[in-house]
Amino acid sequence: MLVTLVWLAGRYEASQVQSRLERDTADAVSDVRSALTRNVQSLQALQAGDPAPMAWEINAAELLRQRRELVRIEWRDANLRLRTYAQSPYRPVSWDAGSRESSHSDAALACTNARRLGGPAYSSSYFQPHGDGLGSEMMELCLPLSGTGRPAGYVVATYALQEMLVDLVGHNLTRSQEASFTEADGTRLAVLGAARRGSRMFTAQHLLDLPGTALVMRMDSWHGAPSLFPNVLTALVTAMSIALVTVMVVLVRDNRRRLRAERDLADALAFRKAMEDSLVTGLRARDLQGRITYVNPAFCAMVGFSPQELLGQSTAAPYWPPELAEEYRQRQATRFAGDLPPRHGFESVFMRKDGTRFPVLIIEAPLINAQGLHTGWMSAFLDISEQRRIEELSRASQERLQATARLATVGEMASLLSHELNQPLAAISSYATGSLNLLESSALPGADGAANLQDVRMAVQHIARQAERAGRVIKSVHDFVRRRDQTREAVPPQELLDAILPLISLQARKLGVRVQTSVEPGLPRTLCDRTMVEQVLLNLARNAMQAMDDPAIHPRILDIRVRRGASNAYSGWLEFSVTDGGGGIPPEVAQQLFTPFFTTRAEGMGLGLSMCRTVVEQHGGFLAFEPHAPRGTVFTFTLPVCQPALT
Ligand code: ADP
């Protein structure tokens, strides 16, 4: 449309120029016509008062001086013979008198016409050489002089067409215009005006019909391209077009940039989607009302529901086990109330579509959108059933290992036990023998039965005491081996020591070791698996005593202490230490001390310390050792204090 508008504006502009040109041409033609009429009158005026040829010549010369377009005026008689003439002073033309007088000359033809018309008549134009090699187009005007009914003579005036243009039209011509007289067929007779050529030419033609002949007045005008722009409409439309094209270019560029951004975005989205789809971690997003807004394929595979079954669910999601739904709902409410720390991780149990339960690790974090607004919750799920299974396996094997270690301890103790039981049994045996002897002697006549009975009673009492002692020894071992409940309980530290002291003293006595214990007064109870901790203490004490089993070492003191954690960081912990005065631990041994099956003793299993560390770490504590001055080693481990709230 804009292009059409520009074109129409151009057309309009062109038509304006054309019509101006037409007007100019019409004006020029009417100028020429009125000048010719005026000349006819002037020529008629020459004959006024029947002048003498001399006077006529003076008047005619005067007229020729004034009217440059006229080249020559002749006065001819009725037979067309020349009476007299006058020549233009401006233009020397060599006239051939003979041809001019001929009855076929243009002048004669014009006069014939004039006689017939009874008024002035013009001849057609003809080329008149000037004698200097040049020439110009001429035209004759014949004016019959009326006498008494028949022509008294003629005035023949010769016009130079070129001068006609110069004098009659030239003053109105603009610089970019060209005026010319042409014949009807387009042949140019005289031309005036610019030879300049612009980019575009306009042409107008107008007929100048004269009695006896007709000429065509033609005007050409050139217009340069810039003249299109002064036109306000054109300028406006052009400016708008340029603006529009600029806007379009900007738009196209913007659109291209937008497309590129969209493509990049789509790529990023596809990448993210591929990433989410290939994750093994389940992902789920919920809005602030708790409705599920997104689940990834891994989550669907985990719970066995399709996304359609999950999306939009809020309370009682289909993967909640019915028996736990209430608890989960409360947890969700707590979460939405903002009472849980962000990025909160916890373990939970979910139900698959087929009803089987499985443990999951859930990590929940608030979902913050690009504007920084909290729009919901994002959760990541890890199916930890496999992990659980492996943990279970390792726990079982650990337990088996511990049991083995305990049995090994028991095996070692069996010899000690036999030695320990030997004493009461020997005592029982000798008391029994003594009693039998007493009973036998009391049967002899003359014996003091009452005194014997007294002795037997005493011996039986001793037997009973020794049997009890033996029973205690066996019971302590029995207790140690059999007790296998894994529950954690709050135990006073003293009780832990008391439980193992009988067992320790068995070996201590054999090795000549003095056992010292010291428990800081007012200690709180510790939360532990009593059996396992006793085993740890027993192992450490045994290792300590074995380390002192060297003839060179004297005195042999085993020191067992319990106190509160020394530093602030350990104020919630009890610290157990077992100190010996043995040979210490060489660096190469220290490196693999806790490696299972590492031992330096021929009959050792190498499981003791590794088990000790496992047990202590299961309680959250740590087991460490350091050299003891002046000799020996201190093994230290920590156990948590029982917090009242946790009981
Ligand atoms: P085992 O007692 O069956 O050898 P342990 O794991 O209890 O297995 O001990 C491994 C090794 O650590 C022992 O063989 C011993 O060389 C060393 N060891 C343990 N306790 C002490 C100690 N108090 N003093 C010196 N060496 C020790």
Side-chain angles (χ1 to χ4, degrees):
M1 277 172 67
L2 280 167
V3 168
T4 314
L5 262 175
V6 170
W7 181 73
L8 284 177
R11 277 269 309 257
Y12 174 72
E13 180 106 340
S15 76
Q16 290 285 89
V17 174
Q18 180 69 39
S19 62
R20 205 176 319 128
L21 194 66
E22 300 273 2
R23 226 169 27 243
D24 285 353
T25 315
D27 288 351
V29 166
S30 80
D31 280 357
V32 170
R33 206 189 294 277
S34 59
L36 291 181
T37 313
R38 202 173 58 234
N39 282 355
V40 167
Q41 287 165 359
S42 302
L43 289 170
Q44 278 169 342
L46 281 180
Q47 302 299 335
D50 205 3
M54 281 296 282
W56 185 91
E57 273 175 34
I58 293 167
N59 284 342
E62 179 59 30
L63 185 63
L64 283 168
R65 230 186 327 274
Q66 286 170 9
R67 306 282 157 80
R68 290 181 178 231
E69 65 271 19
L70 287 172
V71 186
R72 180 187 167 100
I73 307 175
E74 292 171 354
W75 186 2
R76 298 198 184 197
D77 64 10
N79 294 326
L80 286 175
R81 268 193 303 276
L82 188 65
R83 288 184 66 180
T84 182
Y85 72 94
Q87 289 252 70
S88 167
Y90 304 113
R91 181 177 292 265
V93 179
S94 62
W95 298 99
D96 177 7
S99 69
R100 271 197 81 73
E101 299 267 336
S102 110
S103 61
H104 296 297
S105 70
D106 288 287
L109 289 174
C111 286
T112 314
N113 253 343
R115 195 166 52 235
R116 204 175 64 237
L117 292 172
Y122 295 84
S123 76
S124 53
S125 72
Y126 61 92
F127 184 76
Q128 173 66 45
H130 288 182
D132 52 1
L134 295 173
S136 60
E137 281 294 324
M138 303 284 181
M139 184 178 74
E140 302 289 347
L141 160 65
C142 185
L143 194 66
L145 304 171
S146 50
T148 52
R150 62 186 197 89
Y154 300 92
V155 173
V156 176
T158 309
Y159 280 99
L161 292 186
Q162 182 69 31
E163 303 305 316
M164 272 171 80
L165 282 179
V166 172
D167 275 25
L168 308 180
V169 179
H171 54 94
N172 284 329
L173 221 55
T174 62
R175 289 193 171 191
S176 62
Q177 283 176 337
E178 183 189 84
S180 56
F181 281 125
T182 64
E183 284 186 15
D185 64 359
T187 316
R188 286 196 184 216
L189 303 173
V191 182
L192 170 70
R196 193 168 70 95
R197 291 282 183 274
S199 61
R200 195 159 167 203
M201 196 178 83
F202 296 87
T203 300
Q205 292 185 344
H206 222 276
L207 191 68
L208 174 63
D209 54 334
L210 300 168
T213 189
L215 283 175
V216 174
M217 167 70 106
R218 170 180 165 150
M219 272 208 189
D220 294 322
S221 168
W222 287 275
H223 267 264
S227 64
L228 204 64
F229 287 95
N231 185 308
V232 177
L233 177 67
T234 316
L236 203 72
V237 167
T238 310
M240 273 172 61
S241 309
I242 292 172
L244 202 75
V245 168
T246 314
V247 165
M248 262 170 65
V249 167
V250 169
L251 210 70
V252 164
R253 204 175 293 166
D254 181 70
N255 202 37
R256 207 171 297 157
R257 217 174 34 227
R258 204 166 286 237
L259 276 177
R260 201 177 315 129
E262 258 172 32
R263 209 175 36 240
D264 289 353
L265 207 67
D267 282 353
L269 218 64
F271 174 66
R272 195 146 303 186
K273 179 100 179 62
M275 222 161 61
E276 281 169 9
D277 291 354
S278 61
L279 270 183
V280 291
T281 314
L283 292 179
R284 177 197 69 190
R286 287 191 292 188
D287 62 12
L288 287 174
Q289 282 72 47
R291 279 189 298 269
I292 298 177
T293 53
Y294 167 80
V295 283
N296 76 340
F299 184 77
C300 294
M302 206 180 279
V303 294
F305 288 97
S306 68
Q308 291 73 27
E309 289 170 294
L310 295 175
L311 292 179
Q313 298 279 2
S314 58
T315 49
Y319 47 81
W320 284 0
E323 69 275 12
L324 294 169
E326 193 46 43
E327 184 192 323
Y328 288 4
R329 207 166 294 138
Q330 275 168 16
R331 189 173 65 197
Q332 187 172 322
T334 320
R335 145 87 50 224
F336 289 163
D339 291 347
L340 292 175
R343 300 190 188 287
H344 181 62
F346 55 91
E347 283 182 20
S348 186
V349 175
F350 277 0
M351 184 176 73
R352 294 197 186 91
K353 199 174 186 179
D354 60 10
T356 51
R357 315 287 201 261
F358 65 101
V360 281
L361 177 69
I362 308 176
I363 296 155
E364 281 209 305
L367 203 59
I368 310 291
N369 71 2
Q371 281 75 45
L373 284 177
H374 179 196
T375 56
W377 300 92
M378 188 78 212
S379 319
F381 299 85
L382 268 181
D383 183 347
I384 50 173
S385 10
E386 185 59 14
Q387 196 179 332
R388 273 292 146 76
R389 201 177 61 79
I390 291 168
E391 271 174 18
E392 185 57 37
L393 267 181
S394 101
R395 198 183 54 77
S397 66
Q398 192 72 36
E399 247 170 41
R400 267 202 302 281
L401 202 65
Q402 285 169 4
T404 313
R406 282 152 64 82
L407 285 177
T409 317
V410 170
E412 259 176 67
M413 246 177 250
S415 64
L416 291 172
L417 199 65
S418 62
H419 173 254
E420 186 70 7
L421 285 178
N422 242 359
Q423 283 179 15
L425 288 179
I428 287 171
S429 158
S430 56
Y431 279 126
T433 315
S435 304
L436 276 177
N437 288 341
L438 279 176
L439 286 176
E440 272 167 21
S441 63
S442 67
L444 294 176
D448 184 355
N452 276 357
L453 201 61
Q454 189 58 36
D455 287 344
V456 170
R457 185 179 293 126
M458 199 187 67
V460 173
Q461 275 171 357
H462 278 291
I463 288 173
R465 213 171 301 139
Q466 290 299 331
E468 202 179 312
R469 182 178 153 200
R472 262 206 314 274
V473 170
I474 289 174
K475 184 170 181 295
S476 67
V477 175
H478 182 259
D479 277 358
F480 179 76
V481 178
R482 288 303 299 274
R483 206 168 57 226
R484 202 48 226 119
D485 43 349
Q486 265 221 322
T487 48
R488 302 224 171 149
E489 52 190 318
V491 189
Q494 185 68 54
E495 271 186 26
L496 291 170
L497 295 194
D498 290 348
I500 58 156
L501 275 177
L503 295 170
I504 292 175
S505 44
L506 284 179
Q507 198 172 11
R509 215 169 303 146
K510 182 182 168 201
L511 295 176
V513 173
R514 185 149 56 84
V515 180
Q516 294 179 347
T517 61
S518 114
V519 178
E520 207 176 84
L523 278 186
R525 289 187 291 182
T526 171
L527 187 70
C528 65
D529 177 348
R530 173 197 284 254
T531 321
M532 296 316 293
V533 172
E534 284 170 5
Q535 171 97 39
V536 170
L537 277 172
L538 186 65
N539 273 350
L540 293 180
R542 264 182 43 231
N543 278 351
M545 287 187 288
Q546 278 157 5
M548 290 186 287
D549 187 11
D550 184 337
I553 294 173
H554 199 79
R556 299 175 176 180
I557 300 171
L558 168 66
D559 190 20
I560 303 176
R561 287 166 190 269
V562 190
R563 53 189 183 126
R564 240 181 202 282
S567 68
N568 266 350
Y570 287 99
S571 60
W573 298 81
L574 294 184
E575 190 180 283
F576 292 72
S577 62
V578 180
T579 313
D580 66 71
I585 302 176
E588 66 276 10
V589 174
Q591 274 178 6
Q592 7 179 6
L593 206 59
F594 295 105
T595 318
F597 302 111
F598 169 79
T599 178
T600 57
R601 295 189 298 119
E603 74 281 21
M605 287 269 288
L607 287 171
L609 283 179
S610 110
M611 188 212 75
C612 289
R613 190 164 71 171
T614 316
V615 170
V616 170
E617 285 175 359
Q618 275 171 359
H619 284 80
F622 75 90
L623 171 67
F625 65 93
E626 55 187 3
H628 174 66
R631 283 185 295 125
T633 317
V634 192
F635 276 83
T636 314
F637 67 90
T638 56
L639 287 179
V641 164
C642 170
Q643 306 288 351
L646 292 174
T647 54

